[in-house]
Amino acid sequence: MKNPPSFSTSELEIALRAGDRVALSRCITLAESDRASDQKKTATLLSRIHSHTGRSIRIGISGVPGAGKSTWINVFGSMLTRQGLKVAVLTIDPSSEKTRGSILGDKTRMDDLARDPLAFIRPSPSRSILGGVTSHTREAILLCEAAGYEVILVETVGVGQSETAVRHMVDFFLLMLIGGAGDELQGIKKGIIEMADGILVNKADGASLGAATRARAELLQALHLYEQSSGEWKTRVLLTSAAEKKGLEESWQMILDFKDTTTSSGQWATQRSSQQLRWMEEYFNHQVQHSLQSNAAVRKQLKALGSNVENGQLNPVAAANTLFKIWSKTGRQK
Ligand code: GDP
């Protein structure tokens, strides 16, 4: 088999548009590559598929490890494929070098989906620069859409920055919590609750049902005090049990209701447009930073000036200005 670089962009595009999963995997690998030639090919591919993207429902799902995200995605995704929908699952893990094992674990917990011909699962790229990873995930979303996937679930494994990153690339942001753990234990900050369009209190089964029900009531109360995430939409809180496959239809109905409400108000389209703009800005900043860091003259002076700053001989602002001047003069030369 040929490596991704040996395929032409038109070959890749044809296979991708035909829904070929191997081609989709190859296109995502190409997009994740740092090589300049692969990046150029990716840019061409993305331009060619542009008119075939944007038609999926993009759902972000976040929550502390152990809440049941993978188990839920497995049963929720399977419910959707039984309805004939094509479902893709992408994972964002900014610390994936360290948690490689847990990602593999997640994959096995999604084993029904992994075997499902209507589903596609792709773990996060292994590099850990959040800016890079999120840009690749956005590219992967578009590639999945061009391959005909209708529902795209973006799962965050890392906690912290990655929730915000996901919020800016999906239509609907879902937060998964469990009852009885308390806000602090769950590491959930108010800001994350405010970002959510829907909250699932999972493990609402067996002995945990009472705690889950109480957590839901508390969350509903708290939401009254918070600013609602999106205009006319009021964040809903549902009880689910991924283990007992409960609350799956309600979860999907919530997402469809969100789509209806925000499509009529225009918010769906506005959110998509501002996300595109943000991606452009982030990608541009990323490129500038990359160009700065790969500039040989800058790198050389960074070391020299850095030690002068460290030993107190030079003011950091003056040193940074000197570096910037060197970069402006030498431009994009490596
Ligand atoms: P993740 O880290 O958020 O992806 O969580 P997992 O899906 O790996 O689930 C963590 C543990 O919780 C596993 O042992 C699951 O079997 C269990 N689990 C997941 N969902 C439920 C649920 O709805 N009820 C119960 N009782 N256990 C669950």
Side-chain angles (χ1 to χ4, degrees), residues 64-71 106 109 155 202-203 205 241-243:
V64 285
K69 296 180 295 299
S70 315
T71 313
D106 286 344
R109 281 194 293 274
E155 180 195 11
N202 194 38
K203 305 199 183 181
D205 49 45
S241 166

